[in-house]
């Protein structure tokens, strides 16, 4: 192996050349560790490596390491983890890989791992190669939705149940040695379920503290109650890291790591951070009776009660045959799917038996749950009670209209459920967070991501295109979106925007809409009591300023019209007022997010142009406010760096925060 032994007083890297054995270097930064077939033993503690922001790959293959799975999720910049051929054992926590948004290769084969395959692997957006063969994993294979997943090897384990449809293209030999697996691509046929009775609440899926059994918990947006933290990686090779010299941080970190291994003989057990999450069966439990709670309900209990409400207030599960004999139960128990490109891959009873997690609440339009179905696929169920202004026929017609919408920057509606008292809207679960979380983090103690100009411009362009699409497809609506804000913009696996909670004004109660929907905070609504075709444009303007300033907006303060002298902002979050009261020549210094001040001059010129577009969209006077078409055309003219299509240009390090799970609020 190239390189000299690790020794004090020397640097591990000299440009692209490694001076220490097993260290991979790039431009003076430590890129990876490759300590293979060296007879190393003991337990792995990776905590000393957390300061290496440029670390991209770790390989300890074919050694004698024992003990639990090391805590890798704090090394959020990793692209590859190779731990095959050791003596690692025990259950892997379900959230072991949460927040690892850049991870592509995971090799855990030829160990002695037990328990369920950690479901957080299914939420790793860039996963290409997963090797779990020759272990003792049990339970079902999670649904892996990653389109780029090329290799998955789970052979020679103790897995059971139906292989998810998302893995039907995987070679059959990748599933060999699991006698109880069935379905495509193996030849064994799956036995049909014998009963539709919900599992008891004491099943493993309801105990969030047990490792390997509950789904990887999503981090919530600014309106939600739980978070998952990790690290967003630096740009490949160099971004976020400084060039080490003698006595540098890289040397100190690696020396500490080596010292840990040598002095205590790998005796430090990897830290396994656990959090409690609100998880419970989405449906009512068998043989229980409803009772009024004597104390405020927990979010998990709320999910339980919500599901009981969907079934008409009944507290016990009903078998499929019994439900079929009741026409009323049959009417209440059927979902309506609205997309031609999607089949009926679950029913209401599947939701009632699913594990549920409360994702958001507060000032959102409805209570939101993540339901993890039996096969591992997750959907988001949003429960509305403020949709009683329209009858069933009009409601269903509008849902069919939404089901026909198709745009790369819209989160599509999958299905819905109608009852007079409440409605459910069901979408796919998106394993990333919202734009609000990206821009603002989650609380004062947690730093936000560093988002570059080119990425912010791409986000603005994606939102503008989706909004224009809604205007084109739904010209009959005065306000085609109605609730455009950063917490309602999710990010897909390429960190492109997905608009949610759109086009619901026609089916919402007016009083509820006026209280919560941001389009109803527009100046014309406040002045004249009615919205206009430009209300969404006002929301777009506020969003543009939020993206550029990095500050959360206040929708209670509106900018004065251009014929009035600018006044000081009414609050620090009155973004339009802040810009209006600041001379244009000082925008880059006093208005623009500090993270953007290091951009080149060309980028700064484009930022000023976008601020002007945002202000033109925020005009309090409707007649002076730009038309959406004009705003979109001007936004499309703006330019970012040509090389920004590379995935590593999206984010630099954010010092310990993850960005891989999304919660809808």
């Amino acid at each position: 192996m190239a390189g000299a032994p690790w020794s004090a007083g020397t640097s591990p890297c000299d440009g692209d050349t490694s001076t220490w054995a097993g260290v991979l270097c790039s431009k003076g930064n430590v890129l990876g560790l490759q300590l293979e077939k060296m007879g190393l033993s003991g337990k792995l503690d990776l905590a000393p490596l957390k300061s290496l922001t440029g670390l991209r790959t770790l390989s300890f293959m074919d050694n004698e390491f024992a003990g639990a799975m090391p805590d890798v999720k704090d090394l959020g910049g990793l692209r590859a983890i190779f731990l095959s051929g050791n003596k690692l054992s025990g259950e892997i926590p379900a959230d072991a890989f949460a927040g690892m948004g850049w991870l592509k290769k995971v090799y855990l084969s030829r160990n002695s791992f037990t328990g369920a395959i950690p479901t957080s692997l299914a939420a790793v957006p860039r996963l290409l190669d997963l090797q779990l063969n020759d272990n003792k994993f049990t339970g079902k294979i999670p649904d892996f939705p990653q389109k780029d997943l090329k290799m998955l090897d789970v052979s020679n384990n103790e897995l059971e149940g139906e292989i998810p449809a998302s893995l039907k293209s995987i070679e059959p030999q990748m599933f060999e040695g699991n006698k109880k697996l069935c379905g495509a691509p193996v030849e064994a046929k799956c036995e049909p379920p014998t009963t539709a009775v919900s599992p008891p609440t004491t099943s493993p899926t309801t105990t969030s503290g047990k490792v390997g059994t509950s789904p990887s918990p999503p981090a919530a947006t600014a309106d939600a109650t739980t978070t998952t933290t990790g690290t967003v990686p630096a740009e490949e090779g160099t971004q976020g890291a400084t060039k080490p010299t003698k006595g540098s941080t890289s040397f100190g970190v690696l020396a500490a790591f080596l010292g840990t291994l040598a002095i205590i003989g790998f005796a430090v057990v990897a830290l396994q951070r656990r959090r409690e999450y609100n998880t419970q069966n989405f449906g009512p439990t068998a043989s229980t009776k409803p009772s009024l709670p004597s104390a405020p309900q927990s979010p998990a209990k709320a999910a339980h009660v919500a599901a009981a409400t969907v079934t008409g207030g009944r507290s016990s599960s009903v078998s499929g045959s019994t439900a079929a004999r009741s026409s009323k139960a049959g009417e209440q128990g059927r979902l309506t799917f609205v997309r031609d490109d999607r089949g009926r891959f679950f029913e209401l009873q599947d939701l009632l038996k699913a594990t549920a997690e409360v994702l958001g609440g507060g000032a959102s339009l409805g209570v939101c749950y993540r339901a993890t179905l039996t096969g591992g696929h997750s959907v988001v169920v949003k429960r509305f009670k403020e949709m009683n202004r329209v009858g069933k026929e009009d409601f269903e017609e509008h849902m069919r209209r939404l089901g026909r919408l198709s745009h790369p920057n819209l989160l599509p509606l999958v299905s819905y459920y109608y009852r007079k008292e409440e409605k459910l809207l069901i979408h796919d679960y998106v394993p990333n967070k919202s734009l609000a979380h990206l821009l603002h983090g989650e609380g004062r103690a947690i730093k936000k991501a560093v988002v570059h100009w080119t990425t912010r411009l791409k986000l603005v362009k994606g939102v503008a295109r989706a909004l224009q699409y809604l205007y084109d497809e739904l010209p009959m609506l005065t306000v085609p979106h109605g609730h455009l804000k950063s917490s309602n913009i999710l990010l897909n696996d390429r960190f492109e925007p997905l608009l949610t909670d759109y086009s619901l004004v026609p089916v919402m109660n007016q009083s509820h809409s006026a209280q919560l929907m941001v389009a109803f905070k527009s100046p014309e609504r406040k002045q004249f009591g009615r919205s206009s075709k430009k209300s969404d444009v006002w929301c777009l303007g506020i969003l543009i300023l939020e993206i550029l300033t990095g500050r959360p907006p206040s929708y209670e303060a509106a900018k004065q019209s251009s014929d009035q002298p600018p006044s000081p902002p009414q609050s620090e979050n009155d973004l339009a007022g802040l810009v209006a009261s600041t001379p244009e020549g000082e925008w880059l210094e006093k208005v623009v997010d500090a993270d953007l001040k290091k951009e080149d001059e060309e980028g700064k010129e484009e930022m000023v142009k976008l601020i002007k577009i945002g202000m033109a969209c925020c005009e309090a006077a409707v007649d002076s406010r730009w038309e959406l078409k004009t705003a979109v055309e001007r936004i499309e003219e703006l330019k970012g760096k040509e090389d920004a299509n590379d995935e590593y240009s999206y984010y630099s390090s954010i010092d310990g925060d993850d960005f891989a799970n999304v919660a809808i609020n």
Side-chain angles (χ1 to χ4, degrees), residues 288-344:
T288 61
K289 293 183 179 181
S291 61
L292 294 175
S294 57
Q297 295 177 346
S298 67
K301 183 64 177 176
H304 176 87
V305 174
T309 303
V310 170
T311 58
R314 296 171 296 170
S315 60
S316 60
S317 298
V318 182
S319 67
S321 59
T322 303
R325 288 194 294 267
S326 172
S327 59
K328 182 177 180 180
E331 181 182 353
Q332 289 185 340
R334 188 167 179 80
L335 299 170
T336 301
F337 286 75
V338 296
R339 299 194 62 80
D340 295 334
D341 57 348
R342 303 286 290 272
R344 297 187 67 89

Side-chain angles (χ1 to χ4, degrees), residues 35 39 47 92 101 104 129 158 182 218 297 300 308 316 318 328 367 370 375 379 401 428 528 556 588 618-619 664:
L35 305 176
I92 303 177
K104 293 184 176 182
D129 190 346
E158 299 173 13
C182 61
Q297 295 177 346
S316 60
V318 182
K328 182 177 180 180
V367 181
R370 174 189 177 184
V379 295
R401 186 181 296 121
D428 288 322
F528 309 114
E556 298 306 319
L588 293 174
C618 284
E619 280 285 352
I664 298 175

Side-chain angles (χ1 to χ4, degrees), residues 20-318:
W20 288 6
V23 176
L24 306 178
C25 298
S26 175
K27 299 180 181 179
N29 300 306
V30 176
L31 191 67
L33 296 180
Q34 189 175 12
L35 305 176
E36 301 174 352
K37 299 180 180 180
M38 299 177 68
L40 301 175
S41 62
K43 296 181 180 180
L44 277 171
D45 178 14
L46 304 181
L49 301 178
K50 290 166 59 176
S51 297
L52 291 177
T53 57
L55 195 63
R56 296 293 176 262
T57 179
L58 285 178
S59 181
F60 300 105
M61 290 177 60
D62 299 313
N63 282 291
E64 301 292 323
F65 289 116
M69 173 76 186
D71 194 346
V72 297
K73 66 182 179 182
D74 281 344
L75 305 177
L78 288 179
R79 271 61 168 174
I81 302 169
F82 303 101
L83 300 177
S84 297
N86 283 283
K87 297 180 180 180
L88 300 172
S89 61
E91 297 186 7
I92 303 177
D95 64 341
F97 298 91
M100 305 193 73
W102 301 109
L103 192 60
K104 293 184 176 182
K105 295 185 178 182
V106 178
Y107 285 28
L108 304 179
S109 57
R110 295 181 287 114
N111 282 285
S112 298
F113 290 119
T114 59
I117 295 173
T119 51
S120 54
L121 281 170
V124 175
R126 290 174 171 77
L127 191 62
L128 300 176
D129 190 346
L130 177 61
Q131 298 193 19
L132 305 175
N133 53 288
D134 298 285
N135 280 284
K136 299 177 182 178
F137 287 114
T138 58
K140 296 184 177 181
I141 301 175
D143 182 16
F144 287 87
Q146 296 93 333
K147 297 179 182 179
D148 295 326
L149 183 62
K150 305 299 182 185
M151 170 64 71
L152 183 142
D153 191 346
V154 295
S155 60
N156 300 319
N157 282 284
E158 299 173 13
L159 299 167
E160 62 183 18
E162 185 175 2
I163 298 172
S166 60
L167 304 178
K168 63 182 179 180
S169 61
I170 301 296
E171 295 295 330
Q173 59 266 30
M174 299 294 103
F175 302 96
E176 291 178 351
N178 296 278
K179 297 180 180 180
K180 296 183 179 181
L181 283 180
C182 61
V186 299
E187 296 181 357
K189 294 184 178 180
C190 297
E191 295 292 334
T194 58
T195 177
V197 177
S198 300
T201 57
T202 56
S203 66
T205 56
T206 68
T207 307
S208 59
K210 292 186 178 181
V211 295
T213 57
S214 63
S216 173
T221 58
D223 292 335
T225 59
T226 59
T227 60
T228 303
T229 59
T231 303
V232 174
E235 294 183 304
E236 183 70 22
T238 59
Q239 291 291 335
T242 57
K243 184 175 181 178
T245 60
K246 290 184 178 181
S248 66
T249 300
S250 295
F251 164 71
V253 171
L254 292 177
F257 182 67
L258 179 62
T260 301
L261 300 181
I263 295 173
I264 66 174
F266 304 92
V268 179
V269 179
L271 296 175
Q272 300 295 337
R273 299 185 300 177
R274 291 182 173 89
R275 296 181 175 88
E276 292 184 0
Y277 294 90
N278 297 317
T279 60
Q280 182 167 326
N281 276 15
F282 194 91
T285 60
S287 68
T288 61
K289 293 183 179 181
S291 61
L292 294 175
S294 57
Q297 295 177 346
S298 67
K301 183 64 177 176
H304 176 87
V305 174
T309 303
V310 170
T311 58
R314 296 171 296 170
S315 60
S316 60
S317 298
V318 182

Side-chain angles (χ1 to χ4, degrees), residues 273-586:
R273 299 185 300 177
R274 291 182 173 89
R275 296 181 175 88
E276 292 184 0
Y277 294 90
N278 297 317
T279 60
Q280 182 167 326
N281 276 15
F282 194 91
T285 60
S287 68
T288 61
K289 293 183 179 181
S291 61
L292 294 175
S294 57
Q297 295 177 346
S298 67
K301 183 64 177 176
H304 176 87
V305 174
T309 303
V310 170
T311 58
R314 296 171 296 170
S315 60
S316 60
S317 298
V318 182
S319 67
S321 59
T322 303
R325 288 194 294 267
S326 172
S327 59
K328 182 177 180 180
E331 181 182 353
Q332 289 185 340
R334 188 167 179 80
L335 299 170
T336 301
F337 286 75
V338 296
R339 299 194 62 80
D340 295 334
D341 57 348
R342 303 286 290 272
R344 297 187 67 89
F345 59 99
F346 64 93
E347 296 292 348
L348 183 62
Q349 288 299 319
D350 297 318
L351 291 181
L352 300 182
K353 291 184 289 184
T355 300
E357 299 176 47
V358 178
L359 297 182
S364 61
L365 297 183
V367 181
C368 203
Y369 311 95
R370 174 189 177 184
T372 303
L373 305 174
T374 304
H377 184 80
S378 293
V379 295
V380 170
V381 182
K382 197 155 191 176
R383 178 188 178 208
F384 294 87
K385 284 189 174 181
E386 305 295 340
M387 286 185 172
N388 299 329
R389 59 171 297 207
V390 294
K392 182 177 181 181
E393 183 176 342
D394 290 337
F395 178 86
E396 291 184 336
E397 172 58 31
H398 189 64
M399 292 301 106
R400 287 192 293 269
R401 186 181 296 121
L402 297 188
R404 291 191 291 268
L405 298 177
S406 179
H407 189 275
N409 297 117
L410 290 180
L411 182 67
L413 176 67
V414 174
S415 61
Y416 69 88
Y417 173 85
Y418 178 91
R419 284 187 67 203
K420 183 177 180 180
E421 296 82 6
E422 64 180 346
K423 288 84 181 167
L424 303 180
L425 300 186
I426 301 169
H427 303 265
D428 288 322
Y429 176 75
V430 181
N432 279 322
K433 293 179 182 174
S434 69
L435 176 58
H437 179 270
L438 174 65
L439 294 173
H440 313 305
E442 292 191 20
R444 295 180 180 178
I446 298 183
K447 296 180 181 179
K448 63 184 180 64
V450 177
V451 190
H452 301 300
W453 157 246
T454 299
T455 300
R456 299 191 197 217
L457 178 58
K458 286 185 177 181
L459 292 168
V460 171
K461 287 184 176 181
V463 171
R465 291 165 185 167
L467 191 58
Q468 183 65 68
Y469 174 82
L470 291 176
Y471 269 62
D472 292 340
E473 295 296 315
L474 303 173
M476 75 294 296
L477 300 184
T478 302
V479 187
H481 192 292
H483 204 34
L484 182 64
K485 60 177 183 174
S486 60
S487 57
N488 279 339
I489 300 171
L490 306 182
L491 303 175
N492 66 12
D493 56 359
R494 295 291 300 171
F495 296 98
E496 297 165 341
L498 295 172
L499 274 58
T500 67
D501 278 2
Y502 53 84
S503 307
L504 296 181
V505 172
V507 293
M508 295 294 297
N509 292 349
Q510 286 294 311
S511 59
H512 197 65
S513 300
Q515 183 180 8
L516 295 178
M517 300 182 81
V518 295
F520 286 69
K521 310 293 183 182
S522 63
E524 59 269 25
R525 182 77 186 189
K526 294 178 180 180
Q527 294 173 12
F528 309 114
R530 62 179 183 273
S531 303
S532 72
K533 276 286 187 180
K534 294 183 179 180
S535 295
D536 278 331
V537 179
W538 181 81
C539 297
L540 175 63
I542 297 294
L543 180 67
I544 289 173
L545 298 183
E546 179 182 1
I547 290 173
L548 284 173
T549 64
R551 305 185 188 195
S554 168
Y555 293 101
E556 298 306 319
K559 170 184 173 297
Q560 295 177 349
S561 59
S562 57
D563 58 349
Q564 296 176 334
S567 61
Q570 299 178 27
S571 73
E572 63 178 4
N573 294 332
D574 175 9
L575 302 185
L578 172 66
V579 176
S581 61
T582 304
E584 181 179 329
E586 299 178 9

Side-chain angles (χ1 to χ4, degrees), residues 629-642:
K629 182 179 179 181
T630 303
V632 173
E633 289 176 350
R634 295 294 180 86
I635 290 171
E636 292 290 353
E637 293 173 357
L638 299 178
K639 298 177 181 179
K641 292 182 180 179
E642 294 297 329

